[in-house]
Amino acid sequence: MILQGKTALVTGGGRGIGRAIAERLSALGAKVVVTGRTSAEIDEVAAALGGLALRMDLADRGAIRAGLAALAEQAAPVDILVNNAGISESAPYDRTDDEAWDRQLEVNVTAPFQLCRALIPAMIPRGYGRVINVASNAGLTGYAYTSAYCASKHALVGLTRALAVEPRFMLLDEPFAGVDPISMSDIK
């Protein structure tokens, strides 16, 4: 099992793509920490995988800090961070209010930024780390009625590309090849 002894944190891991990623990482030997807002879903996935459920609302910066503090007490340091959680709201541009804009940017790009900033520094001295930021084709092109979502996913792709070329990440076992805006190409 190629990920034996590694700890992976998957945001939005209670259902859909996040759940599938958590299941795959577990099948490859990683201990998986599943985060999400819905306790029943993350509890079920964590129990099925022998992992850890961590309730964390990514729209709330205080909840992220509290979740990371709880994580530090309950699990080994994170080796693999999968920023999968995301939200999308649809409205014409002129009817997208500030609250919808803020929510989507907070969950889709600010939370991944905060998790990267909190978790990557501990990966460097261990010589191993992977970050997978799950974007969407909306991070590469625009779509009507989803201006805030597209802006947030473009920002996530930009963040990912910037992290991938930051010189201090060259200390990892590969030039931070695990930073991948779209796929899990580094974890097969």
Side-chain angles (χ1 to χ4, degrees), residues 34-46:
V34 181
T35 75
R37 292 179 299 172
T38 309
S39 294
E41 292 175 350
I42 62 173
D43 289 346
E44 176 193 339
V45 174

Side-chain angles (χ1 to χ4, degrees), residues 6 12 39 43 52 59 66 71 79 81 86 91 105 116 125 130 142 152 154 173 175:
K6 304 295 183 199
S39 294
D43 289 346
L52 174 67
L71 176 65
D79 301 294
L81 169 60
L105 272 285
C116 286
R130 297 291 182 272
S152 71
H154 272 77
D173 64 341

Side-chain angles (χ1 to χ4, degrees), residues 121-184:
M123 295 175 182
I124 294 169
R126 290 195 316 269
Y128 182 92
R130 297 291 182 272
V131 175
I132 298 99
N133 289 329
V134 179
S136 127
N137 56 1
L140 304 173
T141 191
Y143 293 99
Y145 308 115
T146 59
S147 58
Y149 179 74
C150 289
S152 71
K153 291 302 184 173
H154 272 77
L156 183 61
V157 170
L159 172 66
T160 302
R161 290 177 175 162
L163 287 173
V165 298
E166 201 158 310
R168 63 195 188 101
F169 297 145
M170 299 304 161
L171 299 172
L172 297 172
D173 64 341
E174 295 178 36
F176 222 57
V179 175
D180 190 337
I182 308 297
S183 70
M184 288 185 59

Side-chain angles (χ1 to χ4, degrees), residues 37 59 85-89 100 103-105 107-108 149 152-153:
R37 292 179 299 172
I87 61 169
S88 176
E89 299 177 37
R103 263 190 311 276
Q104 290 174 83
L105 272 285
V107 171
N108 296 347
Y149 179 74
S152 71
K153 291 302 184 173

Side-chain angles (χ1 to χ4, degrees), residues 12-13 17-18 24 27-28 30 40-41 86 95 98 101 151 172:
I17 293 169
R24 180 70 174 142
L28 292 171
E41 292 175 350
R95 288 194 234 148
D98 290 348
W101 177 270
L172 297 172

